[in-house]
């Protein structure tokens, strides 16, 4: 599976192509859905462009995306930086349960290193929203292995925060080794200059992965800004995009050497 992460926690004015409003998020969701993407991870914003867990904001964003991409799995964040108090977070998540089904997220990410993460997971499960567990370090991986997967876990997000393209894959290997076998799919991804090398490693090892402006603003060779999330997804799927990125015969760091969908992806089965 290839997931798209269209905006993330980036500042609202970071780059005009990064979608922030419900309308623009829905537009990008429709564009990547047409390419076969079936999962979206978004960071909803209020009218001031600030990240928010407010059920009205969540409902507005999810509803807008659902209208344009009705088959898309829609995920949101529960990150500490949006609401630092874990008790307040669980109270807000309880309010999500009162949203109409079409305006309620399918899944939400919970970072294992954040205080009260298990309580947040339980709050999501109580309102029938799936859990994506964010594991950022080998320490997080060990902690999760010791605690076990909470009820409602949909997948584990192995998030490589090392941005050096020469060492990001090595860090990914360390996290996966520390995590060991888990009874849920693992989605592996990197960020910034490490995003493309980690994505390629995930593809080679038949792991779920993701791409989008949350993880990187740039194309595979790191020298130019992508025109949109659709362009990043096209490269991740191995599509040629106007010849802007020429694959090198012998392979280069960050280069895409494959074409088409990787084996086992749901998108492949829809072609």
């Amino acid at each position: 599976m290839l997931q798209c992460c269209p905006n993330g926690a980036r500042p609202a004015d970071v780059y005009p192509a990064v979608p922030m409003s419900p309308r623009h998020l829905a537009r990008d969701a429709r564009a990547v859905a047409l390419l076969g993407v079936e999962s979206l991870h978004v960071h909803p914003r209020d009218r001031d462009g600030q990240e928010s867990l407010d059920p009205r904001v969540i409902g507005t964003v999810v509803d807008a995306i659902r209208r344009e991409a009705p088959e898309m799995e829609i995920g949101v964040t529960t990150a500490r930086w949006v609401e630092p108090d874990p008790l307040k977070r669980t109270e807000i998540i309880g309010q999500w349960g009162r949203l109409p089904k079409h305006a309620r997220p399918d899944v939400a990410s919970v970072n294992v290193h954040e205080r009260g993460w298990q309580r947040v997971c339980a709050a999501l499960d109580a309102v029938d929203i799936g859990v994506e567990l964010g594991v950022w370090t080998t320490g997080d991986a060990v902690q999760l292995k010791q605690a076990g997967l909470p009820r409602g876990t949909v997948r584990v997000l192995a998030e490589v925060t090392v941005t050096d393209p020469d060492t990001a894959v090595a860090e990914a290997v360390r996290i996966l080794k520390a995590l060991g076998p888990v009874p849920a799919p693992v989605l592996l991804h990197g960020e910034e200059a490490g995003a493309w090398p980690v994505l390629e490693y995930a593809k080679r090892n038949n792991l779920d992965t993701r791409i989008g402006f949350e993880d990187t603003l740039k194309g595979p060779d790191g020298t130019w800004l992508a025109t949109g999330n659709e362009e990043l997804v096209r490269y991740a799927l191995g599509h040629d995009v106007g010849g802007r990125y020429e694959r090198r015969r012998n392979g280069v760091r960050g280069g895409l050497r494959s074409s088409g969908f990787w084996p086992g992806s749901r998108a492949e089965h829809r072609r």
Side-chain angles (χ1 to χ4, degrees):
M1 182 190 74
L2 179 69
Q3 184 182 79
C4 181
C5 49
N7 61 350
R10 295 188 184 275
D13 59 353
V14 65
Y15 178 44
V18 179
M20 296 294 175
S21 70
R23 179 167 65 89
H24 290 153
L25 285 165
R27 174 203 62 197
D28 281 23
R30 183 177 186 276
V32 300
L34 291 173
L35 295 174
V37 171
E38 298 180 3
S39 179
L40 199 74
H41 172 74
V42 302
H43 287 231
R45 310 298 179 108
D46 61 22
R47 291 184 178 179
D48 296 325
Q50 301 300 310
E51 290 187 77
S52 175
L53 303 183
D54 186 293
R56 291 167 296 184
V57 174
I58 298 292
T60 298
V61 169
V62 172
D63 178 60
I65 294 170
R66 193 88 69 196
R67 291 176 187 274
E68 292 296 323
E71 302 302 319
M72 185 77 75
E73 176 193 75
I74 303 171
V76 299
T77 184
T78 65
R80 177 179 58 195
W81 62 80
V82 184
E83 172 50 64
D85 185 346
L87 290 176
K88 183 75 175 294
R89 251 179 287 155
T90 59
E91 292 173 4
I92 293 172
I93 289 167
Q95 296 171 32
W96 293 0
R98 296 196 287 271
L99 289 168
K101 189 171 179 59
H102 64 85
R104 190 186 311 170
D106 300 301
V107 296
S109 63
V110 181
N111 296 321
V112 171
H113 68 272
E114 294 178 351
R115 183 169 60 91
W117 69 274
Q118 290 169 304
R119 183 174 296 183
V120 174
C121 290
L124 289 168
D125 184 58
V127 294
D128 199 28
I129 294 174
V131 176
E132 295 181 307
L133 293 168
V135 173
W136 292 18
T137 65
T138 55
D140 293 348
V142 171
Q143 181 182 354
L144 179 58
K145 185 158 54 172
Q146 292 173 343
L149 298 189
R151 216 175 88 160
T153 298
V154 171
R155 65 182 60 93
V156 176
L157 306 177
E159 310 191 28
V160 180
T161 59
V162 173
T163 59
D164 179 357
D166 292 323
T167 58
V169 170
E171 178 66 6
V173 172
R174 284 191 287 268
I175 292 173
L176 293 173
K177 184 177 180 180
L179 188 61
V182 291
V186 174
L187 187 155
L188 175 68
H189 73 94
E191 61 183 48
E192 306 304 350
W196 292 105
V198 172
L199 180 141
E200 278 297 307
Y201 178 82
K203 288 174 67 173
R204 289 195 302 272
N205 288 275
N206 293 322
L207 294 171
D208 294 343
T209 188
R210 77 179 199 185
I211 200 66
F213 280 140
E214 174 171 353
D215 291 342
T216 181
L217 300 178
K218 296 182 177 181
D221 68 358
T223 62
W224 48 268
L225 291 170
T227 59
N229 282 292
E230 180 184 1
E231 186 174 34
L232 293 175
V233 167
R234 285 185 180 277
Y235 278 118
L237 295 175
H239 295 182
D240 290 315
V241 189
R244 287 183 64 186
Y245 179 58
E246 181 182 353
R247 295 174 180 83
R248 303 182 186 181
R249 292 180 181 176
N250 296 325
V252 292
R253 184 182 68 218
L256 294 178
R257 295 184 294 279
S258 60
S259 62
F261 299 94
W262 56 94
S265 72
R266 287 182 290 170
E268 180 186 45
H269 300 152
R270 296 175 62 185
R271 280 199 298 180

